[in-house]
Amino acid sequence: MENTGFSLLTLVLFLPLVGFTILLFIREQQESAIKWTAFGTSLVTFVASLLLWIGFNNQEAGLQFVQRGDWLPSYGISYYVGIDGLSLLMVILTTFIMPIAILSSFNSHIFHERGRVKLYYLFMLLLEWAMIGVFVAQDLVIFYIFWEVTLVPMYFLIGIWGAERRIYAAIKFFLYTMAGSILMLLAILYVGIQAGTFAVPEIIAGIQNGTISFAFDGLFSTQSFLFLGFFIAFAIKVPIWPLHSWLPDAHVQAPTAGSVILAGVLLKMGTYGLVRFCLPLYPEASVAWAPVIAVLAVIGIIYGAWVSYAQTDVKKLVAYSSVSHLGFVVLGIFALNAQGIEGGILQMVNHGISTGGLFLLVGMLYERRHTKDIAAYGGIWKALPLFGAISLVVTLSSMGLPGLNGFIGEFTILLGTFGSDVLGFFYAMFATIGVILAAVYMLYMFQKVYLGELDKEENKNLPPLMWNEIAVLIPILIAIFLIGLQPAPFFDTMNASVGELVAHVGQFVTTVAQAVP
Amino acid sequence: MFEAPSFSSLNLDVALPGIFLAGWATLLLIVDLFIPKERRRLTVWLALAGIAVTFVLNLVMYNRHEEAFKGMFIADPFSGFLNIVILLTAVMGILLSVDYLRRTGIERGEFYSLILFTTVGMIFMAGANDLISIFVALELLSIPLYVLSAFRAPDLKSEESGLKYFIMGAFASAFFVFGAAMVYGATGTTNLPEIFSALGGLGQPGGPSVFLMILGAGLIIVGLGFKVAAVPFHMWTPDVYEGAPTPVTAFMSVGAKAGGFAALLRIMIVGLPILTVNEQAAAAWQTTLWLIAAATLILGNIVAISQSNVKRMLAYSSIAHAGYILMAVAAAGTPGIGDQAAQAALVYLLSYMFTNMGAFAIALSIEKDDGSGTSIDDFKGLGKSRPLMAAMMSVFMLSLTGIPLTAGFMGKWLVFQAAIQANLIPLAIIGVLTSVMSAFYYARIIINMYFGEGEGDSAEGATSYVRWTVYIAFAGTVLLGVAPMLVTTLTDRISLAVSMLP
């Protein structure tokens, strides 16, 4: 199983870094060479990750494509990568979003104002490398390294190429997420010292056969503190209400591609971490804390939707809708049953595609009108019919219309929550309110921006979509319909892995019921 | 009856790196007199050659574990590793000085001899195994540094810097000697391993007095606390760092710290690990160091936020980093953690050395000949005017923050691990939270370089010597972050505590 030679997974992981290195040697003036190298790299990485999917065995629950080598042996840290169904979907999501984000910035106005084309694409590829690393790392230290490294390129992307308040947003993003993750560092150290290894599969195996255990006797015990150390880091990233306040700033100030990556992938690192680390490493604490977290998730769903509706800035509206959508994901995960978790994972993919798509559309509007104020628009459909039609599909997908991708995820999550041993009817009921509210704010936005009379002079002569703008929207549309009409391959990919996880966590439900009245 | 020891029993070859460099520095002082002014570069190259030979000698000795001067001095991997740090610091300090001294008009040959002398002091500090030899090394380390701080005289700030450092340093030395005297009074010996043996009978009739030992250890901590700039003995640091010529600031911010921590670690781990009232408990000095570390972390990081001069900012940051190393020293007080903590502290020192020398080198590049131009605002637009320098400065700032894939992360990682293993979890929490605070002021430099408007400084101070220093520092920072095993294979051999068990 453990492979020290060539590994396709390592190749996928390090391809962006290869492109990064090539890019270093291209001169700043050769803009098109820089762009196409970056895009080519991300496209090759995407193709390579599809090979991973083809070679992936759906029936196997454990890790596949494992590679392990020494990194810091005297401290028990190894370069340990591998993927299961969950990781695979996240890797594909990352490699799918990245070429789109890169291609979408080809003609962006930000380069006229700020320049530094080369630096921009360097950071893009660095970011892709670190994000893939987060999803494939199976050693806690390696995971933490990738996790923190994602901060740096994003910080620069927001800070250099962002909008007016970019410095404030960049530093807030950096400090907020670093504050959360650095507590996780202590928890990782503690776990590593207690378990004698940082390798996650080994720790989980140890928990299953009883050689490793983190003392648990209620909501505030050693295991719970470790759980919270991880949870807070992930909760800030997701973001779970009330830790979301960095998100609207970062999203609104970031350049379009930055918002797409933030919504598409970076936020998923938080929910991924919950499933990958919080649940299996601290099953008892997860069960005990699930109702509390689910309440936060439901508040987030409703709060996010409510605040979205109140926005006058279209980018902020989409940003707050993320809080609401990711509330669903967290709710599904902490339903702690197969349906909930699988729905959550699929919804992670869906949100990446739909909200990523929405940010692309908002970015295209901004490129044309240089404003994000909803009131400045109206009747855009008449000015740009193709653009309007695509926007309608993406908006409906984000709302969760049956037949499109969003519906499948939300529906499965609600089913999971309803049938959950730890949550139940009331959680599902309040979450459903969020589905209704989503329709309200999304349709409100669509109506104000796209429908109505084309009464504003500036909106009448908007330039049509450029080739690269159409090229990035097509894969988004394909993905929306593909998942909406044919979700089975996605569920098949994660079934075995999620099944094992649920079995592992499930055996603690009764023990926790005794410990926590 | 006193009997002169035979020459061969001194085992001099063990201390060869230090002895050689001391001799070389003396020779250089004389040779320099005969070098004409316009060929001053020769002095630089001679000084570097001396360091290079010392470096090789040190590597040859690395795996030895022997005593010299009848137990006053010891060569072991601990001192061997520290010597690497110290010598690299000296090399970079000298490279930074070459053009800086000329353009600020303070080029004098003694400068390099003084640097070598204080380097010798640091080397002896790393290997000193006796309170007396630690004191001698401490003075040899300090006195040239007083002179170097005031090297820019008659510039008032530089004079103030030298005088302040001298007075404070003299006090610190006095504290140290007084503490050493107390320990001698209690145990009847100044040799660290013998102090360790004597402490076995602590508090028993006829054994060492607990009162004297606690007082002595406390005074030693005060004395060395001054040297490493730990709160509350840090007051001199910002003024001295700001006033001293920038290469000297860079050199002493790492070198003096390395020396101070070498002595502190060796005294605590070799001499006083069982200075405790009941067996198996943590050493009595652990709580004291814990509190000092916490105060150092909090004060250093908070005050650094409000600094507007980069040299002062780096001064407070150096106080803060002393706090992280003190975490490791405090962790060493828990039985069984000593070696691991020492290794963590050393890796931290190495990583701080690379990063901090790099940061100072870039600060020095944008400094004007009259000593101005070191405000944080002077970094504005550097990302445009000097992209490579700005990129490297960003890496140094991220490394000081402790972001992964840089040396700073590995240092913090090991220090936090030692602290958690020693069950000092509140201290570890303070450590990580202050790291977040530090991100704020380090990020400000990056913001100024990249995010803001501004033409950008031309960084005329970045001559080829300075650039090479930056490249070395950058390579070290990244290499240690990506491939830490290169360094941990060296530190894995360090064992202070185990070898000393009776």
Side-chain angles (χ1 to χ4, degrees), chain A residues 176-360:
Chain A
Y176 223 115
T177 32
M178 188 177 166
S181 50
I182 205 143
L183 286 172
M184 177 166 72
L185 175 70
L186 292 186
I188 287 178
L189 278 168
Y190 192 91
V191 168
I193 290 168
Q194 292 291 310
T197 171
F198 288 102
V200 180
E202 286 174 15
I203 302 176
I204 294 174
I207 292 172
Q208 272 165 348
N209 63 30
T211 52
I212 299 170
S213 69
F214 306 113
F216 178 81
D217 58 0
L219 282 177
F220 299 98
S221 50
T222 309
Q223 188 181 128
S224 296
F225 287 123
L226 293 173
F227 170 80
L228 289 177
F230 276 68
F231 176 77
I232 290 171
F234 299 143
I236 288 177
K237 205 72 161 189
V238 170
I240 294 175
W241 184 90
L243 300 170
H244 64 279
S245 79
W246 64 272
L247 178 99
D249 289 305
H251 262 319
V252 172
Q253 303 303 321
T256 301
S259 306
V260 172
I261 296 171
L262 257 177
V265 189
L266 278 182
L267 307 187
K268 306 308 172 311
M269 285 168 32
T271 43
Y272 167 84
L274 292 174
V275 186
R276 164 70 68 233
F277 301 105
C278 277
L279 299 192
L281 292 182
Y282 318 112
E284 289 136 311
S286 300
V287 175
W289 279 87
V292 180
I293 293 165
V295 167
L296 295 181
V298 171
I299 293 175
I301 292 173
I302 296 173
Y303 169 87
W306 196 274
V307 178
S308 281
Y309 180 70
Q311 295 307 316
T312 55
D313 178 318
V314 62
K315 206 168 178 186
K316 229 172 185 165
L317 185 148
V318 181
Y320 273 110
S321 82
S322 286
V323 178
S324 180
H325 284 138
L326 284 156
F328 275 104
V329 177
V330 174
L331 185 66
I333 291 170
F334 281 92
L336 300 177
N337 54 19
Q339 273 179 328
I341 295 176
E342 290 187 9
I345 295 170
L346 189 69
Q347 189 62 8
M348 282 152 75
V349 177
N350 289 336
H351 176 263
I353 293 165
S354 308
T355 309
L358 282 174
F359 276 117
L360 283 175

Side-chain angles (χ1 to χ4, degrees), chain A residues 71-72 74-75 116 129 141 144-145 148-149 152 155-156 159-160 166 175 178-179 182 185-186 189 193, chain B residues 343 384 398 404-405 409-410 413-414 416-417 420 429 432 436 440 443 446-447 450-451 482 484-485 488 492:
Chain A
W71 191 61
L72 203 50
S74 47
Y75 292 88
R116 301 194 195 164
W129 173 65
V141 180
Y144 182 80
I145 288 177
E148 282 283 84
V149 166
V152 177
Y155 168 67
F156 278 97
I160 301 183
R166 59 184 182 275
L175 290 182
M178 188 177 166
I182 205 143
L185 175 70
L186 292 186
L189 278 168
I193 290 168
Chain B
Q343 291 164 10
K384 275 190 199 117
L398 294 173
L405 297 183
F409 173 72
M410 287 323 299
W413 172 266
L414 297 178
F416 290 150
Q417 182 157 8
I420 288 185
I429 291 177
V432 294
V436 179
F440 187 78
I446 298 181
I447 289 174
Y450 283 100
F451 301 175
V482 176
M485 53 282 194
T488 51
D492 283 346

Side-chain angles (χ1 to χ4, degrees), chain B residues 119-136:
Chain B
T119 308
V120 173
M122 292 165 193
I123 289 178
F124 275 104
M125 198 87 163
N129 201 28
D130 187 294
L131 292 175
I132 303 278
S133 54
I134 290 176
F135 177 68
V136 173

